[in-house]
Every structure is written in structure tokens, then in C-alpha cells.
Amino acid sequence: MKKLILAILLLTVTLTAYSQNVKPDSILENDYSSNYLGTWSWKKKNDKFRLNLIKANLTNGIRLITGSYLYIVNSKEVVNASMEDGTFWILGDIPRNSTVLTIAVIDKLSGKQANATLTLLDNNTIKWKLTNAGVRGQDSSFSIPSDITLIKHN
């Protein structure tokens, strides 16, 4: 009986460990992620927002999507945030044939954490929507645009 219980326990631990094996390059194996890469922008009068998404290699060999953003208000640069700042990064894999990508964002001006949902409307247009990242006590206002449509630049 002890051997049976031990065998079941060993099998359960092995299956659990195997099922949680994450492939570091999985996001880049999905060709659909390349639809999000590049420079995107939004403009309204003298206000501009530019988002640049690129593939990055971390020192530990993990590859992911990261980038930078620039926000201009009344023709004056308000924030210029890059991946070196740790301002945003990919939050997970993009399901095959998905039109939605979620990235974790830190609003550099306010320091607030947010989730940015990028919805691919077509090959040249994405919808950027910020939502509170679930931090208790944090209000849902941001100093960068929270609900805009961006156009891709080639």
C-alpha cells in the first residue's frame, strides 16, 4: 500500500512539474505576435502618443516583446519611457490567431501600474486601453492616454 501511495504521489508531482514548464521563447514562436511589432502613433491637435514595440533578448536568454512610449502634450514632451526604465513588458503569451495583446505598463509620471490591452483592429490600427492593474488603493486615472486608437508607421 505504501508503494502504491508513493507511486501515485511521485506521478502527481512529476505531472504537475511538467505541466508548469514554461517555454521562454513561446511568445516569439507565435508569428501572430509580429503584427504588434513596430511604431504606432496617435495625434489629437498638439497632443501625440507614440508606442514602439520590439523583440528583446534578456541576459538570461528569455526573449519577449518590450518597447518604449513618448507622450507629447501641447507640443511639449511630457514623458519618454523606454524598456531600460522597466516601464513595460509583455505579460504573457499571445494565443494563436488572437487580436488582443496585454502588456504590463508603469505610468512613468504617476508611478501607477496598469494593464494595457492592445486590440488589433486591422494590420495598421490598434486600440490602446489602460486599466488599473489591481493595485489596492490606486485610482484609475493615468497621466498617459488611456483609451486611444493608434496607427502603424512603416
Side-chain angles (χ1 to χ4, degrees):
M1 185 68 170
K2 266 186 172 179
K3 287 184 181 181
L4 179 62
I5 292 174
L6 186 59
I8 291 172
L9 181 62
L10 183 61
L11 180 64
T12 304
V13 169
T14 303
L15 289 175
T16 303
Y18 180 75
S19 69
Q20 294 181 9
N21 185 15
V22 177
K23 291 170 51 181
D25 294 339
S26 64
I27 189 154
L28 299 178
E29 290 174 3
N30 183 344
D31 290 338
Y32 204 72
S33 66
S34 64
N35 291 336
Y36 294 93
L37 301 178
T39 302
W40 303 84
S41 67
W42 164 85
K43 182 178 179 181
K44 183 177 181 182
K45 297 184 183 178
N46 293 328
D47 298 349
K48 298 177 185 176
F49 184 77
R50 188 179 70 218
L51 175 68
N52 186 30
L53 297 175
I54 59 171
K55 291 181 184 179
N57 294 312
L58 300 180
T59 55
N60 59 4
I62 295 176
R63 298 186 306 170
L64 47 79
I65 295 176
T66 187
S68 59
Y69 66 82
L70 171 69
Y71 187 36
I72 296 172
V73 176
N74 292 323
S75 302
K76 182 181 176 192
E77 183 177 301
V78 175
V79 64
N80 190 348
S82 69
M83 65 181 174
E84 288 83 15
D85 300 335
T87 315
F88 67 90
W89 56 92
I90 194 71
L91 230 183
D93 200 359
I94 303 171
R96 191 162 303 285
N97 298 323
S98 175
T99 58
V100 178
L101 169 69
T102 302
I103 56 177
V105 177
I106 297 174
D107 182 343
K108 190 174 175 182
L109 291 178
S110 69
K112 293 179 183 177
Q113 297 176 22
N115 292 324
T117 303
L118 303 175
T119 304
L120 192 64
L121 303 177
D122 60 45
N123 286 337
N124 296 312
T125 312
I126 58 172
K127 179 81 170 171
W128 162 277
K129 180 140 178 84
L130 287 183
T131 56
N132 190 329
V135 178
R136 289 184 186 239
Q138 176 179 288
D139 66 42
S140 60
S141 62
F142 300 99
S143 61
I144 57 176
S146 60
D147 192 358
I148 56 176
T149 300
L150 297 110
I151 307 298
K152 188 171 193 174
H153 296 275
N154 295 323

